Amino acid sequence: MAGAGVALPVETASAAGGGARSVVLSFTGATNGAGSLSPAGDRLIAEVQNVLWSVPRKGGDAVAITPADLEPTRPVHSPDGRQLAVCAYRGGGFHIWTLRTDGSGLRQLTDGPWDDRGPSWSPDGTRIAFASERGGDPVAGSPYRVWVVDVRSRALTQVTGVQGQEGPAQDGAWEDFDPVWSADGTRLLFVRARLAGTALEARTVASAPADGRGPVRVEHTESAAAQVMTPAVSPGGRLAYLRTTASPAASCTLVVDGAVVRVEGDVEPVPPRWVSREELLLTVSGEFRIIRPEVASGQTSGIATATATIPFAAKLPLDRPRYRVKQYDFGTGGRARPVRSLHLPALSPDARQVAFAALNALWIADVSGGRAPRQVVRAEPTRYLLGPSWSRDGRALIYADDRDGLLAVRRRDLASGEETVLADGGRVSPALSPDGTRLACLDMSGRLVVRDLAAAAPSGSWPHRWAAAGCPAGRAGPQTAASSPSATATVSTSASARATTSSASSTWRAAPPGCTRSPRTPRSPTATTPAPPGPPTAARWR
Protein backbone atom coordinates (compact mmCIF):
# COMPACT_ATOMS: atom_id res chain seq x y z
CA MET A 1 0.00 0.00 0.00
CA ALA A 2 1.27 3.44 -0.83
CA GLY A 3 1.56 5.74 2.15
CA ALA A 4 2.85 9.12 3.14
CA GLY A 5 6.50 9.98 3.28
CA VAL A 6 5.65 13.22 5.09
CA ALA A 7 2.15 13.85 6.40
CA LEU A 8 1.43 16.97 8.47
CA PRO A 9 -1.98 18.34 9.49
CA VAL A 10 -1.95 21.85 8.12
CA GLU A 11 -5.54 22.84 8.75
CA THR A 12 -8.31 21.87 11.16
CA ALA A 13 -11.83 23.23 10.83
CA SER A 14 -15.26 22.34 12.17
CA ALA A 15 -18.06 21.58 9.78
CA ALA A 16 -21.30 23.52 9.93
CA GLY A 17 -23.20 22.75 13.12
CA GLY A 18 -20.12 21.37 14.87
CA GLY A 19 -20.92 17.81 13.76
CA ALA A 20 -17.61 17.07 12.04
CA ARG A 21 -13.99 18.11 11.86
CA SER A 22 -12.09 18.55 8.62
CA VAL A 23 -8.37 17.78 8.73
CA VAL A 24 -6.09 18.38 5.75
CA LEU A 25 -2.96 16.27 5.42
CA SER A 26 -0.01 17.47 3.36
CA PHE A 27 2.17 14.93 1.49
CA THR A 28 5.60 15.64 0.06
CA GLY A 29 6.69 12.07 -0.65
CA ALA A 30 5.53 8.48 -0.99
CA THR A 31 6.38 5.21 0.70
CA ASN A 32 6.09 2.30 -1.75
CA GLY A 33 4.19 4.55 -4.14
CA ALA A 34 4.40 3.64 -7.83
CA GLY A 35 4.63 6.28 -10.54
CA SER A 36 4.14 6.52 -14.30
CA LEU A 37 5.39 9.33 -16.53
CA SER A 38 3.29 10.19 -19.57
CA PRO A 39 4.81 9.29 -22.98
CA ALA A 40 5.07 13.02 -23.71
CA GLY A 41 7.08 13.40 -20.50
CA ASP A 42 5.02 16.31 -19.20
CA ARG A 43 3.03 14.81 -16.27
CA LEU A 44 3.52 12.22 -13.57
CA ILE A 45 0.75 9.99 -12.25
CA ALA A 46 1.66 8.87 -8.74
CA GLU A 47 0.09 6.45 -6.29
CA VAL A 48 0.02 7.89 -2.77
CA GLN A 49 -2.27 6.82 0.07
CA ASN A 50 -4.35 4.61 -2.26
CA VAL A 51 -5.19 7.62 -4.44
CA LEU A 52 -3.80 8.53 -7.88
CA TRP A 53 -2.41 12.05 -8.20
CA SER A 54 -1.46 14.02 -11.29
CA VAL A 55 1.44 16.46 -11.07
CA PRO A 56 3.45 18.36 -13.74
CA ARG A 57 6.97 17.02 -14.34
CA LYS A 58 8.42 20.34 -13.28
CA GLY A 59 6.58 20.00 -9.97
CA GLY A 60 3.68 21.78 -8.33
CA ASP A 61 0.50 20.95 -6.49
CA ALA A 62 -0.74 17.44 -7.23
CA VAL A 63 -4.41 16.89 -8.12
CA ALA A 64 -6.26 13.77 -6.97
CA ILE A 65 -7.90 12.01 -9.94
CA THR A 66 -9.42 8.93 -8.25
CA PRO A 67 -11.91 8.52 -5.37
CA ALA A 68 -10.91 6.93 -2.09
CA ASP A 69 -13.00 3.78 -2.62
CA LEU A 70 -11.21 2.77 -5.85
CA GLU A 71 -7.86 1.96 -4.14
CA PRO A 72 -5.78 1.80 -7.37
CA THR A 73 -2.20 0.53 -7.49
CA ARG A 74 0.61 0.38 -10.07
CA PRO A 75 -0.64 2.98 -12.57
CA VAL A 76 0.79 2.74 -16.08
CA HIS A 77 0.16 4.97 -19.12
CA SER A 78 -1.13 3.61 -22.40
CA PRO A 79 1.30 4.08 -25.32
CA ASP A 80 -0.69 7.06 -26.66
CA GLY A 81 -0.78 8.68 -23.20
CA ARG A 82 -4.57 9.02 -23.14
CA GLN A 83 -5.40 6.31 -20.62
CA LEU A 84 -4.12 4.62 -17.49
CA ALA A 85 -4.36 1.00 -16.47
CA VAL A 86 -4.43 0.11 -12.77
CA CYS A 87 -5.10 -2.76 -10.44
CA ALA A 88 -7.92 -1.56 -8.17
CA TYR A 89 -9.66 -3.10 -5.16
CA ARG A 90 -13.14 -1.59 -5.54
CA GLY A 91 -15.85 -4.19 -4.86
CA GLY A 92 -13.73 -6.41 -2.62
CA GLY A 93 -11.32 -7.91 -5.15
CA PHE A 94 -8.25 -6.91 -7.19
CA HIS A 95 -9.16 -6.35 -10.87
CA ILE A 96 -7.87 -4.48 -13.91
CA TRP A 97 -9.41 -1.08 -14.66
CA THR A 98 -8.74 1.70 -17.16
CA LEU A 99 -9.40 5.44 -16.88
CA ARG A 100 -8.45 8.64 -18.63
CA THR A 101 -5.53 10.62 -17.26
CA ASP A 102 -7.90 13.19 -15.73
CA GLY A 103 -9.74 10.44 -13.80
CA SER A 104 -12.81 10.26 -16.05
CA GLY A 105 -13.97 7.26 -18.08
CA LEU A 106 -13.38 4.70 -15.34
CA ARG A 107 -13.97 1.19 -16.76
CA GLN A 108 -13.55 -2.28 -15.25
CA LEU A 109 -12.01 -4.82 -17.62
CA THR A 110 -11.86 -7.97 -15.48
CA ASP A 111 -14.12 -9.40 -12.80
CA GLY A 112 -14.88 -12.61 -10.94
CA PRO A 113 -13.74 -14.13 -7.62
CA TRP A 114 -10.03 -14.14 -8.60
CA ASP A 115 -7.25 -11.62 -8.07
CA ASP A 116 -5.98 -9.82 -11.19
CA ARG A 117 -2.79 -7.79 -10.68
CA GLY A 118 0.12 -5.97 -12.33
CA PRO A 119 -1.28 -4.45 -15.57
CA SER A 120 1.01 -3.82 -18.56
CA TRP A 121 -0.02 -2.23 -21.88
CA SER A 122 0.91 -3.79 -25.20
CA PRO A 123 2.97 -1.49 -27.46
CA ASP A 124 -0.03 -0.99 -29.78
CA GLY A 125 -2.35 -0.12 -26.87
CA THR A 126 -4.99 -2.74 -27.72
CA ARG A 127 -4.27 -5.27 -24.94
CA ILE A 128 -3.26 -5.37 -21.29
CA ALA A 129 -1.28 -8.22 -19.75
CA PHE A 130 -1.71 -9.10 -16.07
CA ALA A 131 -1.18 -11.90 -13.55
CA SER A 132 -4.21 -13.76 -12.25
CA GLU A 133 -5.45 -16.73 -10.21
CA ARG A 134 -8.42 -17.09 -12.57
CA GLY A 135 -9.36 -20.56 -13.64
CA GLY A 136 -8.49 -21.99 -10.22
CA ASP A 137 -10.47 -22.40 -7.04
CA PRO A 138 -11.77 -19.00 -5.83
CA VAL A 139 -11.83 -20.03 -2.15
CA ALA A 140 -8.71 -22.15 -1.64
CA GLY A 141 -6.68 -20.03 -4.07
CA SER A 142 -4.58 -21.15 -7.02
CA PRO A 143 -1.25 -20.27 -8.69
CA TYR A 144 -0.84 -17.06 -10.64
CA ARG A 145 -0.54 -17.28 -14.42
CA VAL A 146 -0.13 -14.60 -17.09
CA TRP A 147 -3.27 -13.49 -18.96
CA VAL A 148 -4.10 -10.86 -21.57
CA VAL A 149 -7.34 -8.88 -21.88
CA ASP A 150 -8.46 -7.09 -25.03
CA VAL A 151 -9.16 -3.47 -24.06
CA ARG A 152 -12.09 -3.06 -26.44
CA SER A 153 -13.87 -6.42 -26.21
CA ARG A 154 -12.67 -7.57 -22.74
CA ALA A 155 -11.87 -10.97 -24.31
CA LEU A 156 -9.39 -12.97 -22.23
CA THR A 157 -6.42 -15.06 -23.38
CA GLN A 158 -4.35 -17.28 -21.09
CA VAL A 159 -0.65 -16.96 -21.91
CA THR A 160 1.12 -19.26 -19.41
CA GLY A 161 0.03 -22.51 -17.83
CA VAL A 162 -1.62 -23.53 -21.09
CA GLN A 163 -2.00 -27.27 -21.55
CA GLY A 164 0.88 -28.70 -23.58
CA GLN A 165 3.05 -25.63 -23.11
CA GLU A 166 6.64 -26.45 -22.21
CA GLY A 167 9.05 -24.41 -20.21
CA PRO A 168 11.20 -24.07 -17.10
CA ALA A 169 9.62 -25.33 -13.84
CA GLN A 170 6.52 -26.38 -15.76
CA ASP A 171 6.86 -29.92 -14.42
CA GLY A 172 6.23 -28.77 -10.82
CA ALA A 173 4.47 -26.10 -8.81
CA TRP A 174 5.20 -22.56 -9.96
CA GLU A 175 3.80 -19.02 -10.15
CA ASP A 176 4.00 -16.47 -12.99
CA PHE A 177 3.58 -12.75 -12.23
CA ASP A 178 4.65 -9.16 -13.06
CA PRO A 179 4.27 -9.43 -16.87
CA VAL A 180 5.72 -6.83 -19.25
CA TRP A 181 5.71 -6.69 -23.07
CA SER A 182 8.73 -7.01 -25.29
CA ALA A 183 9.52 -3.93 -27.38
CA ASP A 184 8.00 -5.46 -30.54
CA GLY A 185 4.89 -6.77 -28.72
CA THR A 186 5.40 -10.40 -29.73
CA ARG A 187 6.39 -11.77 -26.32
CA LEU A 188 5.60 -11.27 -22.66
CA LEU A 189 8.36 -11.31 -20.06
CA PHE A 190 7.46 -12.18 -16.47
CA VAL A 191 8.82 -13.59 -13.24
CA ARG A 192 8.57 -17.38 -12.96
CA ALA A 193 8.84 -18.54 -9.36
CA ARG A 194 9.11 -22.11 -8.12
CA LEU A 195 7.42 -23.40 -4.99
CA ALA A 196 9.97 -25.03 -2.68
CA GLY A 197 7.83 -26.44 0.11
CA THR A 198 5.94 -23.42 1.41
CA ALA A 199 8.55 -20.92 0.15
CA LEU A 200 8.44 -19.12 -3.19
CA GLU A 201 11.77 -18.90 -5.04
CA ALA A 202 11.50 -16.11 -7.61
CA ARG A 203 14.86 -16.01 -9.42
CA THR A 204 13.95 -16.34 -13.10
CA VAL A 205 12.75 -13.88 -15.71
CA ALA A 206 11.06 -15.94 -18.43
CA SER A 207 9.09 -15.11 -21.58
CA ALA A 208 6.32 -16.63 -23.67
CA PRO A 209 4.61 -15.75 -26.97
CA ALA A 210 1.93 -13.13 -26.31
CA ASP A 211 -0.77 -15.39 -27.73
CA GLY A 212 0.24 -18.31 -25.49
CA ARG A 213 1.05 -20.52 -28.50
CA GLY A 214 4.59 -21.57 -27.88
CA PRO A 215 7.09 -22.65 -25.26
CA VAL A 216 8.29 -20.61 -22.32
CA ARG A 217 11.98 -19.76 -22.38
CA VAL A 218 14.39 -18.40 -19.78
CA GLU A 219 15.60 -14.83 -20.36
CA HIS A 220 17.65 -14.36 -17.19
CA THR A 221 18.28 -16.23 -13.92
CA GLU A 222 19.41 -14.54 -10.73
CA SER A 223 22.19 -16.53 -9.09
CA ALA A 224 22.10 -14.74 -5.74
CA ALA A 225 19.78 -15.87 -2.95
CA ALA A 226 17.28 -13.11 -3.65
CA GLN A 227 13.84 -12.58 -5.12
CA VAL A 228 13.25 -11.07 -8.56
CA MET A 229 10.28 -8.75 -9.17
CA THR A 230 8.84 -6.16 -11.60
CA PRO A 231 10.86 -6.63 -14.82
CA ALA A 232 10.82 -3.73 -17.30
CA VAL A 233 11.92 -3.73 -20.95
CA SER A 234 13.19 -0.55 -22.63
CA PRO A 235 12.31 0.43 -26.23
CA GLY A 236 15.81 -0.76 -27.12
CA GLY A 237 15.36 -4.13 -25.41
CA ARG A 238 17.28 -3.50 -22.17
CA LEU A 239 16.01 -5.57 -19.21
CA ALA A 240 15.69 -4.01 -15.76
CA TYR A 241 14.20 -5.51 -12.62
CA LEU A 242 14.33 -5.24 -8.84
CA ARG A 243 16.07 -7.76 -6.61
CA THR A 244 14.93 -8.01 -3.00
CA THR A 245 16.20 -9.83 0.07
CA ALA A 246 14.23 -10.59 3.22
CA SER A 247 14.84 -9.30 6.74
CA PRO A 248 16.85 -9.02 8.89
CA ALA A 249 19.12 -7.80 6.06
CA ALA A 250 16.23 -6.57 3.92
CA SER A 251 17.20 -4.78 0.73
CA CYS A 252 15.86 -3.72 -2.66
CA THR A 253 18.35 -3.36 -5.53
CA LEU A 254 18.05 -2.25 -9.14
CA VAL A 255 19.49 -4.65 -11.74
CA VAL A 256 19.95 -3.59 -15.38
CA ASP A 257 21.38 -5.79 -18.13
CA GLY A 258 22.22 -8.38 -15.45
CA ALA A 259 24.36 -5.92 -13.45
CA VAL A 260 23.63 -4.38 -10.06
CA VAL A 261 23.18 -0.62 -10.40
CA ARG A 262 24.13 1.44 -7.36
CA VAL A 263 21.43 4.00 -6.56
CA GLU A 264 21.88 6.61 -3.84
CA GLY A 265 19.02 6.16 -1.36
CA ASP A 266 16.49 3.42 -0.65
CA VAL A 267 14.97 1.92 -3.80
CA GLU A 268 11.26 1.28 -3.18
CA PRO A 269 9.82 -2.13 -4.23
CA VAL A 270 7.53 -0.77 -6.96
CA PRO A 271 7.86 -1.18 -10.74
CA PRO A 272 10.65 0.75 -12.48
CA ARG A 273 9.41 2.39 -15.70
CA TRP A 274 11.52 3.12 -18.78
CA VAL A 275 10.80 6.70 -19.87
CA SER A 276 13.24 6.63 -22.80
CA ARG A 277 15.73 4.21 -24.33
CA GLU A 278 18.26 5.06 -21.61
CA GLU A 279 16.30 6.45 -18.62
CA LEU A 280 14.24 4.88 -15.84
CA LEU A 281 11.64 6.30 -13.45
CA LEU A 282 12.21 4.96 -9.91
CA THR A 283 10.74 5.65 -6.50
CA VAL A 284 13.75 6.24 -4.23
CA SER A 285 13.53 7.28 -0.57
CA GLY A 286 10.00 8.54 -1.16
CA GLU A 287 11.00 10.62 -4.20
CA PHE A 288 10.13 10.09 -7.87
CA ARG A 289 13.48 10.15 -9.67
CA ILE A 290 14.54 9.77 -13.27
CA ILE A 291 17.92 8.03 -13.47
CA ARG A 292 20.29 6.90 -16.20
CA PRO A 293 21.75 3.45 -15.42
CA GLU A 294 25.31 3.14 -16.71
CA VAL A 295 26.73 -0.37 -17.04
CA ALA A 296 29.96 -1.08 -18.86
CA SER A 297 29.97 -4.07 -21.20
CA GLY A 298 30.76 -7.29 -19.36
CA GLN A 299 30.62 -5.65 -15.92
CA THR A 300 28.57 -6.98 -12.98
CA SER A 301 27.92 -3.57 -11.44
CA GLY A 302 27.16 -0.06 -12.58
CA ILE A 303 26.08 3.34 -11.32
CA ALA A 304 22.94 5.41 -11.65
CA THR A 305 23.14 9.05 -12.63
CA ALA A 306 20.15 11.07 -11.46
CA THR A 307 18.88 13.28 -14.27
CA ALA A 308 15.78 14.71 -12.53
CA THR A 309 13.65 14.56 -9.40
CA ILE A 310 9.96 15.34 -9.82
CA PRO A 311 8.78 17.51 -6.91
CA PHE A 312 5.56 16.26 -5.34
CA ALA A 313 3.14 18.01 -2.97
CA ALA A 314 -0.44 17.00 -2.30
CA LYS A 315 -3.18 17.86 0.18
CA LEU A 316 -5.69 15.25 1.28
CA PRO A 317 -8.78 16.44 3.23
CA LEU A 318 -10.16 14.07 5.85
CA ASP A 319 -13.61 14.49 7.35
CA ARG A 320 -13.95 13.12 10.85
CA PRO A 321 -17.64 13.06 11.84
CA ARG A 322 -18.62 13.36 15.47
CA TYR A 323 -21.79 11.73 16.71
CA ARG A 324 -23.21 10.28 19.88
CA VAL A 325 -22.89 6.51 20.06
CA LYS A 326 -26.09 4.69 20.92
CA GLN A 327 -26.26 2.40 23.93
CA TYR A 328 -26.83 -1.18 22.81
CA ASP A 329 -27.70 -3.38 25.74
CA PHE A 330 -31.02 -5.09 24.88
CA GLY A 331 -32.71 -3.36 27.80
CA THR A 332 -30.43 -4.27 30.68
CA GLY A 333 -30.96 -1.70 33.39
CA GLY A 334 -34.73 -1.77 33.11
CA ARG A 335 -35.46 0.03 29.84
CA ALA A 336 -35.91 -1.90 26.59
CA ARG A 337 -34.43 -0.54 23.37
CA PRO A 338 -35.24 -1.76 19.87
CA VAL A 339 -32.38 -3.39 17.94
CA ARG A 340 -32.43 -3.68 14.16
CA SER A 341 -30.72 -6.07 11.74
CA LEU A 342 -31.18 -9.32 13.64
CA HIS A 343 -29.61 -11.99 11.44
CA LEU A 344 -31.21 -15.37 10.63
CA PRO A 345 -32.92 -16.20 13.96
CA ALA A 346 -32.96 -19.96 14.64
CA LEU A 347 -35.43 -21.69 16.98
CA SER A 348 -33.99 -24.25 19.40
CA PRO A 349 -35.10 -27.92 19.08
CA ASP A 350 -37.38 -27.58 22.14
CA ALA A 351 -38.85 -24.35 20.74
CA ARG A 352 -38.13 -22.51 24.00
CA GLN A 353 -35.20 -20.37 22.83
CA VAL A 354 -34.09 -18.51 19.74
CA ALA A 355 -30.49 -17.84 18.67
CA PHE A 356 -29.58 -14.93 16.45
CA ALA A 357 -26.75 -12.57 15.49
CA ALA A 358 -26.96 -8.87 16.29
CA LEU A 359 -24.60 -6.06 17.27
CA ASN A 360 -21.64 -8.18 16.13
CA ALA A 361 -22.42 -10.91 18.67
CA LEU A 362 -24.41 -14.13 19.04
CA TRP A 363 -27.36 -14.06 21.42
CA ILE A 364 -29.87 -16.49 22.90
CA ALA A 365 -33.30 -15.26 23.98
CA ASP A 366 -36.20 -17.01 25.69
CA VAL A 367 -39.24 -17.22 23.46
CA SER A 368 -41.39 -16.20 26.42
CA GLY A 369 -39.57 -12.88 26.63
CA GLY A 370 -39.26 -13.21 30.39
CA ARG A 371 -35.52 -12.49 30.45
CA ALA A 372 -33.19 -10.24 28.51
CA PRO A 373 -31.23 -11.96 25.70
CA ARG A 374 -27.97 -13.61 26.79
CA GLN A 375 -24.80 -12.89 24.86
CA VAL A 376 -22.98 -16.10 23.89
CA VAL A 377 -19.96 -14.85 21.93
CA ARG A 378 -18.85 -11.45 20.64
CA ALA A 379 -16.68 -10.72 17.60
CA GLU A 380 -13.92 -8.13 17.55
CA PRO A 381 -14.92 -4.78 15.97
CA THR A 382 -12.94 -5.61 12.81
CA ARG A 383 -14.46 -9.11 12.50
CA TYR A 384 -17.87 -10.46 11.54
CA LEU A 385 -20.04 -13.38 12.63
CA LEU A 386 -23.30 -14.72 11.22
CA GLY A 387 -25.75 -17.56 10.64
CA PRO A 388 -26.27 -19.40 13.96
CA SER A 389 -28.03 -22.77 13.99
CA TRP A 390 -28.57 -25.40 16.70
CA SER A 391 -27.26 -28.89 17.27
CA ARG A 392 -30.08 -31.43 17.50
CA ASP A 393 -29.74 -31.81 21.27
CA GLY A 394 -29.83 -28.03 21.80
CA ARG A 395 -26.52 -28.04 23.64
CA ALA A 396 -24.44 -26.25 21.02
CA LEU A 397 -24.60 -23.48 18.43
CA ILE A 398 -23.08 -23.74 14.96
CA TYR A 399 -22.07 -20.41 13.39
CA ALA A 400 -19.48 -18.75 11.14
CA ASP A 401 -16.97 -16.00 11.82
CA ASP A 402 -13.78 -14.62 10.27
CA ARG A 403 -11.50 -14.18 13.29
CA ASP A 404 -8.72 -16.05 11.46
CA GLY A 405 -9.04 -14.06 8.23
CA LEU A 406 -11.37 -16.25 6.17
CA LEU A 407 -14.83 -17.26 7.37
CA ALA A 408 -14.89 -20.58 9.22
CA VAL A 409 -17.69 -22.71 10.68
CA ARG A 410 -17.47 -23.28 14.44
CA ARG A 411 -19.35 -25.33 17.02
CA ARG A 412 -19.74 -23.71 20.46
CA ASP A 413 -20.77 -25.79 23.45
CA LEU A 414 -23.20 -23.62 25.43
CA ALA A 415 -22.38 -25.12 28.83
CA SER A 416 -18.58 -25.03 28.69
CA GLY A 417 -17.95 -22.39 26.02
CA GLU A 418 -15.58 -24.81 24.25
CA GLU A 419 -15.32 -24.26 20.48
CA THR A 420 -14.42 -26.62 17.62
CA VAL A 421 -13.67 -25.59 14.01
CA LEU A 422 -15.79 -27.74 11.68
CA ALA A 423 -14.86 -26.17 8.33
CA ASP A 424 -12.49 -23.36 7.40
CA GLY A 425 -11.17 -21.67 4.27
CA GLY A 426 -14.25 -19.51 3.59
CA ARG A 427 -17.36 -21.44 4.69
CA VAL A 428 -20.60 -19.77 5.79
CA SER A 429 -24.28 -20.39 6.65
CA PRO A 430 -23.80 -23.75 8.41
CA ALA A 431 -26.48 -26.37 9.13
CA LEU A 432 -26.00 -29.78 10.77
CA SER A 433 -27.81 -32.90 9.62
CA PRO A 434 -30.32 -34.30 12.18
CA ASP A 435 -27.86 -36.96 13.38
CA GLY A 436 -25.00 -34.47 13.63
CA THR A 437 -22.63 -36.33 11.32
CA ARG A 438 -22.81 -34.07 8.25
CA LEU A 439 -22.43 -30.34 7.78
CA ALA A 440 -23.98 -28.30 4.96
CA CYS A 441 -22.60 -24.82 4.28
CA LEU A 442 -21.82 -22.42 1.46
CA ASP A 443 -18.39 -21.49 0.17
CA MET A 444 -17.61 -17.90 -0.76
CA SER A 445 -18.42 -18.46 -4.43
CA GLY A 446 -22.00 -19.48 -3.51
CA ARG A 447 -21.63 -23.25 -3.91
CA LEU A 448 -23.32 -25.59 -1.48
CA VAL A 449 -20.82 -27.89 0.24
CA VAL A 450 -21.62 -30.98 2.30
CA ARG A 451 -18.90 -32.20 4.66
CA ASP A 452 -18.77 -35.54 6.48
CA LEU A 453 -17.81 -34.76 10.08
CA ALA A 454 -17.79 -38.30 11.41
CA ALA A 455 -15.49 -40.13 9.02
CA ALA A 456 -12.54 -40.38 11.37
CA ALA A 457 -13.59 -38.80 14.68
CA PRO A 458 -11.86 -40.45 17.67
CA SER A 459 -13.95 -42.84 19.74
CA GLY A 460 -16.13 -41.02 22.26
CA SER A 461 -15.50 -37.59 20.73
CA TRP A 462 -18.01 -35.29 19.10
CA PRO A 463 -19.40 -36.00 16.57
CA HIS A 464 -19.99 -39.76 16.79
CA ARG A 465 -18.26 -42.26 14.51
CA TRP A 466 -19.78 -43.53 11.28
CA ALA A 467 -21.48 -46.32 13.26
CA ALA A 468 -23.76 -43.68 14.73
CA ALA A 469 -25.14 -43.08 11.26
CA GLY A 470 -25.99 -46.74 10.74
CA CYS A 471 -22.73 -47.80 9.10
CA PRO A 472 -20.81 -50.86 10.29
CA ALA A 473 -17.68 -50.13 12.28
CA GLY A 474 -14.42 -50.29 10.34
CA ARG A 475 -15.96 -49.25 7.01
CA ALA A 476 -14.11 -45.95 6.79
CA GLY A 477 -11.94 -47.27 3.96
CA PRO A 478 -8.30 -46.49 3.14
CA GLN A 479 -6.92 -43.02 3.61
CA THR A 480 -3.81 -41.65 1.97
CA ALA A 481 -1.20 -39.69 3.84
CA ALA A 482 -2.13 -36.56 1.94
CA SER A 483 -5.81 -36.67 2.85
CA SER A 484 -7.46 -35.25 5.95
CA PRO A 485 -9.95 -37.09 8.20
CA SER A 486 -13.12 -35.72 6.69
CA ALA A 487 -15.00 -35.54 3.41
CA THR A 488 -16.85 -33.02 1.31
CA ALA A 489 -19.06 -32.82 -1.73
CA THR A 490 -20.23 -29.86 -3.74
CA VAL A 491 -23.94 -29.85 -4.58
CA SER A 492 -25.13 -28.33 -7.82
CA THR A 493 -27.82 -25.68 -7.46
CA SER A 494 -29.47 -26.50 -10.79
CA ALA A 495 -32.83 -28.25 -11.11
CA SER A 496 -31.05 -31.57 -11.53
CA ALA A 497 -29.05 -31.20 -8.34
CA ARG A 498 -26.55 -33.94 -7.71
CA ALA A 499 -23.54 -34.39 -5.45
CA THR A 500 -20.09 -34.50 -7.01
CA THR A 501 -16.60 -34.62 -5.59
CA SER A 502 -15.40 -31.08 -4.98
CA SER A 503 -12.21 -30.18 -6.80
CA ALA A 504 -12.05 -27.14 -4.55
CA SER A 505 -11.51 -29.30 -1.48
CA SER A 506 -9.15 -32.03 -2.63
CA THR A 507 -7.81 -32.51 0.90
CA TRP A 508 -11.20 -33.78 2.09
CA ARG A 509 -11.52 -37.48 1.28
CA ALA A 510 -14.58 -39.12 -0.25
CA ALA A 511 -17.28 -40.71 1.96
CA PRO A 512 -16.51 -44.28 3.12
CA PRO A 513 -17.93 -46.99 0.85
CA GLY A 514 -21.13 -48.57 2.04
CA CYS A 515 -22.28 -45.55 4.03
CA THR A 516 -23.86 -43.35 1.40
CA ARG A 517 -27.18 -45.23 1.45
CA SER A 518 -27.51 -45.85 5.20
CA PRO A 519 -31.16 -45.74 6.39
CA ARG A 520 -30.16 -43.19 9.00
CA THR A 521 -28.16 -40.99 6.66
CA PRO A 522 -30.10 -37.74 6.01
CA ARG A 523 -31.21 -36.79 2.54
CA SER A 524 -29.21 -34.26 0.58
CA PRO A 525 -29.78 -30.67 1.68
CA THR A 526 -32.25 -28.61 -0.25
CA ALA A 527 -30.20 -26.20 -2.34
CA THR A 528 -31.32 -22.65 -2.88
CA THR A 529 -30.03 -20.12 -5.36
CA PRO A 530 -26.67 -18.86 -4.10
CA ALA A 531 -27.05 -15.47 -2.49
CA PRO A 532 -24.58 -12.67 -3.10
CA PRO A 533 -21.92 -12.09 -0.44
CA GLY A 534 -22.95 -10.51 2.85
CA PRO A 535 -24.74 -12.45 4.16
CA PRO A 536 -25.63 -15.57 2.12
CA THR A 537 -28.81 -17.58 2.62
CA ALA A 538 -28.40 -20.45 5.08
CA ALA A 539 -28.65 -24.08 4.00
CA ARG A 540 -31.42 -26.10 5.64
CA TRP A 541 -31.74 -29.85 6.17
CA ARG A 542 -35.11 -31.48 5.66
Side-chain angles (χ1 to χ4, degrees), residues 343-379:
H343 184 257
L344 292 179
L347 195 63
S348 64
D350 63 7
R352 294 181 179 180
Q353 296 179 300
V354 62
F356 58 92
L359 307 179
N360 215 29
L362 291 185
W363 305 79
I364 293 178
D366 292 337
V367 173
S368 64
R371 293 184 299 177
R374 173 169 64 96
Q375 181 177 294
V376 177
V377 60
R378 171 173 289 279

Side-chain angles (χ1 to χ4, degrees), residues 132-146:
S132 178
E133 300 176 297
R134 62 184 48 249
D137 182 75
V139 175
S142 56
Y144 279 88
R145 301 288 185 257
V146 175

Side-chain angles (χ1 to χ4, degrees), residues 29-115:
T31 300
N32 295 349
S36 178
L37 191 67
S38 65
D42 57 341
R43 295 193 74 86
L44 172 76
I45 300 296
E47 166 203 352
V48 179
Q49 206 66 21
N50 283 336
V51 174
L52 294 189
W53 304 80
S54 177
V55 62
R57 178 170 177 168
K58 63 182 180 181
D61 291 335
V63 177
I65 63 172
T66 57
D69 70 325
L70 184 62
E71 299 186 50
T73 61
R74 293 196 178 185
V76 58
H77 280 84
S78 61
D80 62 7
R82 297 179 180 180
Q83 295 188 84
L84 300 166
V86 297
C87 166
Y89 192 68
R90 176 182 284 183
F94 290 100
H95 292 299
I96 306 303
W97 298 65
T98 59
L99 66 156
R100 299 188 187 98
T101 54
D102 62 359
S104 63
L106 186 63
R107 180 174 177 238
Q108 184 174 351
L109 294 187
T110 65
D111 55 19
W114 304 278
D115 278 353

Side-chain angles (χ1 to χ4, degrees), residues 20 22 39 83-84 131 157 263 268 281 293 297 303 320 341 364-365 374 383 393 418 447 451 467 470 517 528 540:
S22 178
Q83 295 188 84
L84 300 166
T157 301
V263 178
E268 309 276 6
L281 172 68
S297 177
I303 61 172
R320 298 180 176 179
S341 299
I364 293 178
R374 173 169 64 96
R383 298 304 181 185
D393 59 12
E418 180 182 355
R447 295 179 300 180
R451 183 175 186 181
R517 300 293 294 178
T528 57
R540 298 295 183 203

Side-chain angles (χ1 to χ4, degrees), residues 336-431:
R337 296 177 177 87
V339 174
R340 299 179 180 178
S341 299
L342 305 185
H343 184 257
L344 292 179
L347 195 63
S348 64
D350 63 7
R352 294 181 179 180
Q353 296 179 300
V354 62
F356 58 92
L359 307 179
N360 215 29
L362 291 185
W363 305 79
I364 293 178
D366 292 337
V367 173
S368 64
R371 293 184 299 177
R374 173 169 64 96
Q375 181 177 294
V376 177
V377 60
R378 171 173 289 279
E380 295 294 326
T382 58
R383 298 304 181 185
Y384 184 63
L385 49 75
L386 72 164
S389 61
W390 294 82
S391 62
R392 189 177 186 184
D393 59 12
R395 297 179 180 178
L397 285 182
I398 315 300
Y399 71 100
D401 77 357
D402 63 348
R403 72 184 68 171
D404 296 326
L406 287 176
L407 283 161
V409 174
R410 302 176 185 272
R411 177 189 186 272
R412 185 179 184 90
D413 185 276
L414 295 177
S416 67
E418 180 182 355
E419 290 200 347
T420 305
V421 176
L422 304 184
D424 55 14
R427 314 292 176 179
V428 294
S429 301

